[in-house]
Amino acid sequence: VQVVESGGGLIQPGGSLRLSCAASDFTVGSNYMNWVRQAPGKGLEWVSVIYSVGTTYYADSVRGRFTVARDDSKNTVHLQMNSLRGEDTAVYYCARDTMGGRGYGLDVWGQGTTVTVSS
Amino acid sequence: SFELTQPPSVSVSPGQTASISCSGDKLGNRYVCWYQQMPGQAPVLVIYQDNKRPSGIPERFSGSNFGNTATLTISGTQAMDEADYYCQAWDSNTNTYVFGTGTKVTVL
């Protein structure tokens, strides 16, 4: 059971980037898939979640700029990031929650993909 | 908005007990999870639903949650336990996950 993130890189302020999270040995559509980020030297910040039924929620800091979506045919979750800012610079992790808000926690994490927003 | 506060650092001698607090309004009414993060690595879930250990997590890790404070306890702390630890709860009002501010545990 694992997830692998990809799509990070260096992007100019105001630009867009799409991150991907590919899952193995479990079905993303049956779980609550989250994005969590960590700015350099800082703590963990939850970013977004997509429920098994497709409902999505976002942190205030990214709402209106980021969109999470799921491709069940590829067992992959995407995070579309628009209007990027310097404060979005971070390692972005994809993480699984099997039960969504019922205290089971994020039990599977990827290795992260780095996003750097700079001119 | 719902916030979780942790002490920035905790120091412990090898073999002793480390306790890490996580404070939030009426936190005892919510489930709390704890994560361990080694430098340069992804977080690992060590406690879920306040006091349950995932498979593979040593018994020396335990948790409690009462009133406004949740606590992660590491009994018989080992050098390998030196890491950052984060608490996390779910805010049912906004359907969002909240992480604590993080605590660096140093084994002296």
Side-chain angles (χ1 to χ4, degrees):
Chain A
V1 174
Q2 67 174 358
V3 294
V4 177
E5 303 95 335
S6 61
L10 175 63
I11 188 74
Q12 292 188 341
S16 298
L17 210 55
R18 190 178 83 152
L19 306 183
S20 298
C21 168
S24 301
D25 295 325
F26 75 94
T27 303
V28 296
S30 299
N31 290 273
Y32 297 73
M33 300 302 298
N34 291 262
W35 289 95
V36 176
R37 68 184 181 183
Q38 187 169 36
K42 302 298 184 181
L44 301 174
E45 180 189 15
W46 177 81
V47 173
S48 74
V49 62
I50 182 165
Y51 284 8
S52 55
V53 295
T55 307
T56 59
Y57 293 99
Y58 301 91
D60 289 344
S61 58
V62 307
R63 187 176 297 113
R65 300 187 299 123
F66 290 11
T67 303
V68 61
R70 199 174 65 213
D71 184 341
D72 291 338
S73 68
K74 296 183 179 179
N75 207 29
T76 298
V77 175
H78 301 287
L79 184 68
Q80 177 67 42
M81 305 186 296
N82 299 329
S83 303
L84 284 162
R85 308 166 180 167
E87 54 263 38
D88 296 318
T89 295
V91 175
Y92 284 73
Y93 295 101
C94 175
R96 180 185 80 169
D97 182 341
T98 57
M99 295 296 288
R102 301 177 195 176
Y104 285 85
L106 304 175
D107 67 336
V108 176
W109 294 69
Q111 83 290 348
T113 187
T114 300
V115 173
T116 304
V117 184
S118 175
S119 55
Chain B
S1 63
F2 182 59
E3 296 181 349
L4 296 176
T5 302
Q6 300 176 234
S9 62
V10 166
S11 297
V12 59
S13 299
Q16 298 305 301
T17 297
S19 295
I20 306 164
S21 63
C22 173
S23 299
D25 184 47
K26 299 176 182 175
L27 188 56
N29 293 339
R30 311 170 191 261
Y31 278 127
V32 172
C33 302
W34 290 90
Y35 303 86
Q36 176 193 65
Q37 187 180 33
M38 300 292 191
Q41 297 187 22
V44 173
L45 179 68
V46 295
I47 293 290
Y48 68 96
Q49 287 189 334
D50 296 339
N51 54 24
K52 297 180 173 64
R53 282 178 292 104
S55 174
I57 300 302
E59 291 184 7
R60 64 180 181 274
F61 288 89
S62 62
S64 64
N65 184 18
F66 302 102
N68 295 321
T69 303
T71 303
L72 174 69
T73 301
I74 311 174
S75 304
T77 307
Q78 300 182 9
M80 68 174 66
D81 300 328
E82 192 164 277
D84 293 326
Y85 292 84
Y86 295 89
C87 60
Q88 176 256 311
W90 185 65
D91 185 350
S92 58
N93 292 324
T94 57
N95 292 300
T96 59
Y97 295 68
V98 179
F99 283 97
T101 50
T103 298
K104 181 176 181 59
V105 170
T106 301
V107 183
L108 300 172

